[in-house]
Amino acid sequence: MQEKEYYTIEDFIQVVKELRGENGCPWDKKQTHESLIPCLVEESGEVVEAIEHHDMQNLEEELGDVLLQVVMHARIAEERGDFNFSDVVDGVCRKMIRRHPHVFGNETFSTREEQLSSCRKIKELEKIEKKRKARELAENKE
């Protein structure tokens, strides 16, 4: 990849793809979801530490390291045919829109407690739907 003045998320996804590609980095190429767990834990802890110390310069860097973990896991999943980064983004957008009907819909709440209650109900419905889909998937495999 050529040097640029400013990189985008698309550039970053391509960087990770190249790191894991045929001519990529041997370390990056051999990583799995499981082998990256310690890295994700460490990087998440470093984000917390930067926040606690109000170190915005370090926070920016550490958030990038967490983003690397997200993109790397999405790339591994894509290589396996499970999902890709766009699916992750689509899923989290849908979740945030669904869980915030007071922002993205016509729902209104009189109190914070009503809003939290609504969010809990939505999460419970999501769990039910996830279990239903898992059952259907299992039945279709048989």
Side-chain angles (χ1 to χ4, degrees):
M1 175 163 285
Q2 288 185 313
E3 181 89 15
K4 293 175 78 171
E5 187 174 329
Y6 198 83
Y7 294 96
T8 66
I9 187 65
E10 290 80 13
D11 294 325
F12 187 55
I13 291 167
Q14 185 60 37
V15 165
V16 172
K17 185 176 183 178
E18 289 183 30
L19 286 171
R20 289 188 53 83
E22 185 178 325
N23 298 315
C25 171
W27 185 89
D28 289 294
K29 288 167 48 171
K30 74 177 185 177
Q31 297 311 305
T32 65
H33 292 304
E34 295 76 15
S35 70
L36 287 171
I37 290 171
C39 297
L40 181 57
V41 170
E42 178 183 344
E43 298 303 348
S44 298
E46 290 174 355
V47 165
V48 170
E49 187 176 304
I51 292 169
E52 290 175 342
H53 290 97
H54 305 283
D55 184 347
M56 294 302 108
Q57 185 176 357
N58 194 37
L59 178 59
E60 177 184 356
E61 180 181 338
E62 298 306 337
L63 287 172
D65 292 344
V66 170
L67 180 60
L68 170 60
Q69 294 301 305
V70 172
V71 173
M72 184 75 87
H73 282 281
R75 180 65 197 158
I76 292 167
E78 183 175 4
E79 291 167 0
R80 295 174 36 160
D82 297 329
F83 58 85
N84 62 32
F85 184 77
S86 293
D87 296 326
V88 173
V89 171
D90 180 69
V92 74
C93 283
R94 290 178 187 282
K95 182 191 297 186
M96 291 300 98
I97 292 166
R98 195 172 48 247
R99 290 186 182 178
H100 295 84
H102 56 294
V103 175
F104 300 104
N106 298 323
E107 194 83 29
T108 57
F109 302 109
S110 300
T111 65
R112 176 164 164 68
E113 289 73 28
E114 283 181 8
Q115 188 267 321
L116 291 174
S117 176
S118 172
C119 189
R120 281 191 291 273
K121 288 176 187 172
I122 291 168
K123 285 181 180 182
E124 188 57 38
L125 290 172
E126 289 170 351
K127 286 181 188 178
I128 291 167
E129 180 64 14
K130 189 181 258 187
K131 287 179 184 177
R132 184 190 65 75
K133 285 183 178 181
R135 269 194 318 272
E136 284 180 5
L137 187 61
E139 289 170 1
N140 289 337
K141 284 186 177 181
E142 293 175 355

